[in-house]
Structure formats: structure tokens, C-alpha cells
Amino acid sequence: MTSVAQTLADGTALLHDSSASPRADALLLLAHAMRREREWIVAYGDATPSREEVQAFERLSTQRSEGVPVAYLLGSAGFFGREFLVNESVLVPRPETEHLVAAAIAFIGKRPLDVVDVGTGSGAIACTIAAETRATVCGTDTSSAAVAIANENARRFGVTDRCRFCVGDLTEAVSAQRFDLVVANLPYVPTAEIPSKPDPVAFEPREALDGGSDGLTLYRRLFNTLASLLNANALILLEAAPPTMPGLSAIVRSALPHSAIAVCRDYAGLERYLRISTGATDA
Ligand SMILES: C[S@@+](CC[C@H](N)C(=O)[O-])C[C@H]1O[C@@H](n2cnc3c(N)ncnc32)[C@H](O)[C@@H]1O
């Protein structure tokens, strides 16, 4: 039988042309197949995996070589220090969204505020805010499969008492409530720019990606009704594609002419989200 190190090398070679990070992907998949930590795989290269472990690894590596995102193969993705359950029904939470969450947490501080997360997907934003603060969070999504995963994540992180999820279009399911903070990472990829397989993004739900012809269709609709849901001095945090920031700012200015809008950058230094203060106390 082959060694752990050789199995890893074989997997890395298989992924060479299809992945930007072949060794890192192979390492994660081999650790998953062997139910070990990555560090163990690196430290015990001379160990011998079982036939079943090698076969499981080969199946996962083949799927990865066809483009399937690592997170779907592992069934989880790291976000803001927690491991969220994910499957093909939800967008894989992205590191850039952590910035938006950090801004939300800073705004909330120790206050027991009411928060809505529009387009919650895996619940990564909603569950993190509930876990890190005393806020009560409501997540909405048109996908009942996504809401099922978000509920599982809320249970996983022990936040079901302050985090609930509703199926519905935008804020329709919460229209009777008022919020101090609105966060949204709605689909924002312009339709013509949605990639095709084997790009890993193409394996994610189209409903989580497609932002219409200019990437702003959902945000335009959101602002038709948002003003009536806001408490005094509310904050709105919206993630979108860097090139769409001027267009999104114009939508916000038209709907909330007295708000203060700041464009904020992600880890890569790209303009990634808008911070919209609706009150005088948080300009
Ligand atoms: C880009 S994903 C973001 C998921 C998650 N918030 C995150 O940051 O990882 C957008 C989510 O919005 C949902 N969505 C799409 N259209 C929607 C609508 N009209 N109302 C509510 N949610 C919608 C999708 O199903 C998807 O889960």
C-alpha cells in the first residue's frame, strides 16, 4: 500500500491543472477522507492509509478536479472563526464578507439590537452576529433549502434563542418588524458574468449569484421597501461587487437622501461594501 505522503502527492498532481491551490486542496480532502487533522497528514507522511481511505480520497479528488468547490466536498466552510455547514443549496461564505460582519459587530457593541440579514444563505452572517453580540437576528431567504442549513448552523452554534430564519422574498416575511441594523449580501454577479463549469463558482446556486443585468436588481428592489423597516439611527451594511459601488450608492441616495454613505474595502483592498448611516449619531 502507498504512504500518506505519496497519496497526497498523487492527489496534488491530479489537481494541478484544475485548482489554483492543488496541494492545499489535496491536503484538506485527504484529511477529510482519513478523518484526521491536516497537521496529522503533514506530520505522519510515512503512515499507510487504508484502501477505503484511499478510495474515498480518490473520489473526492476526482470531483474537485471537475470543479466542485472544496467546501461542498468537506460539507463545511470556515467563516469568522467558526466552521459552518454548507451544501450545494447555499453560497460558500467568503472571507470578504467577514469585513461586513466585523462592521456589524462594532456597530452593535453591547446593545441588544434587532438585526435583519437579507439573503441569509448558510446563515453565516446572521449566526456570527448572534454568536458575537447580544443582538436578535432574523435571516430571510427565498430558498427553503438554504433556510434549513441556516437553522442547522444556528443550532450548531447555540444561537437559536436569538437567531431565526424565514423563507420569503427580501424583507417580505419580516415586514411587520423594525430593525436597528440591516445587513445584506444579496446576489450581485451581473448575469452575463456568471462563470460556467468547471469554475467552482458555477457549482453554487444560481439564485445566490445572479444579480440581474447590472448586478443590482435585488438591491434596487430591496430599497423599494427598506425605509419603512428602519428604526431611528439604523445602520445598513451591503456587500456588492467593486464595480457596482457607484450604482449602488446612487440607489441608496435616491431612497434615503439624508443618509451618510461610506464605501469600505475588503482584505484585497477592493471596494466591497457600503456602510449607510441613517441617523445623525453614527455618521
Ligand atoms: C450571495 S448569497 C449570500 C449568502 C450569505 N448571506 C453569505 O454571505 O454567505 C445570496 C443569498 O440570497 C438569496 N436570495 C436570492 N434572491 C433573494 C430574494 N429575492 N429574497 C431573499 N433572498 C434571496 C439566495 O438564495 C442566497 O442564499
Side-chain angles (χ1 to χ4, degrees), residues 181-238:
L181 173 60
V182 178
V183 290
N185 178 18
L186 282 164
Y188 59 68
V189 183
T191 308
E193 293 174 28
I194 295 176
S196 307
K197 291 179 179 176
D199 188 314
V201 173
F203 289 78
E204 297 183 281
R206 190 161 180 113
E207 190 181 355
L209 301 171
D210 193 347
S213 59
D214 66 352
L216 293 173
T217 299
L218 272 296
Y219 282 120
R220 215 169 269 116
R221 282 214 291 118
L222 177 68
F223 276 91
N224 287 339
T225 54
L226 197 59
S228 62
L229 300 184
L230 302 175
N231 279 332
N233 300 326
L235 184 74
I236 304 166
L237 296 167
L238 308 177

Side-chain angles (χ1 to χ4, degrees), residues 79 89-94 97 100-101 117-126 140-144 146-147 166-172 183-189 205-210 218-219 221 239:
F79 183 79
S89 306
V90 297
L91 188 97
V92 177
R94 303 291 205 272
T97 306
L100 180 144
V101 170
D117 171 23
V118 190
T120 198
S122 64
I125 298 175
T140 73
D141 207 293
T142 40
S143 161
S144 51
V147 163
C166 307
V167 178
D169 181 46
L170 298 173
T171 55
E172 197 176 64
V183 290
N185 178 18
L186 282 164
Y188 59 68
V189 183
R206 190 161 180 113
E207 190 181 355
L209 301 171
D210 193 347
L218 272 296
Y219 282 120
R221 282 214 291 118
E239 180 175 324

Side-chain angles (χ1 to χ4, degrees), residues 30 79 87 100 103 124 136 139 179 205 238 240 251:
L30 183 55
F79 183 79
N87 65 17
L100 180 144
T136 297
F179 298 97
L238 308 177
I251 293 169

Side-chain angles (χ1 to χ4, degrees), residues 15-154:
L15 299 181
H16 187 266
D17 294 335
S18 53
S19 168
S21 50
R23 189 166 191 278
D25 290 2
L27 186 55
L28 284 166
L29 297 177
L30 183 55
H32 185 70
M34 294 188 71
R35 296 186 175 81
R36 297 280 188 178
E37 299 298 323
R38 271 178 300 174
E39 297 81 348
W40 189 94
I41 301 293
V42 174
Y44 296 97
D46 291 341
T48 306
S50 70
R51 180 189 301 272
E52 291 72 29
E53 287 169 339
V54 172
Q55 286 172 344
F57 174 63
E58 286 172 351
R59 273 195 302 276
L60 292 168
S61 303
T62 301
Q63 286 179 278
R64 179 70 194 105
S65 72
E66 291 162 355
V68 180
V70 172
Y72 290 161
L73 296 171
L74 302 181
S76 70
F79 183 79
F80 217 93
R82 291 178 180 79
E83 200 63 20
F84 280 79
L85 300 176
V86 297
N87 65 17
E88 293 77 1
S89 306
V90 297
L91 188 97
V92 177
R94 303 291 205 272
E96 49 266 35
T97 306
E98 293 176 340
H99 284 272
L100 180 144
V101 170
I105 293 168
F107 173 74
I108 294 166
K110 296 188 186 323
R111 301 179 290 171
L113 301 184
D114 288 308
V115 181
V116 63
D117 171 23
V118 190
T120 198
S122 64
I125 298 175
C127 292
T128 304
I129 291 174
E132 297 284 337
T133 73
R134 293 172 54 214
T136 297
V137 190
C138 186
T140 73
D141 207 293
T142 40
S143 161
S144 51
V147 163
I149 290 286
N151 273 317
E152 271 193 63
N153 279 316

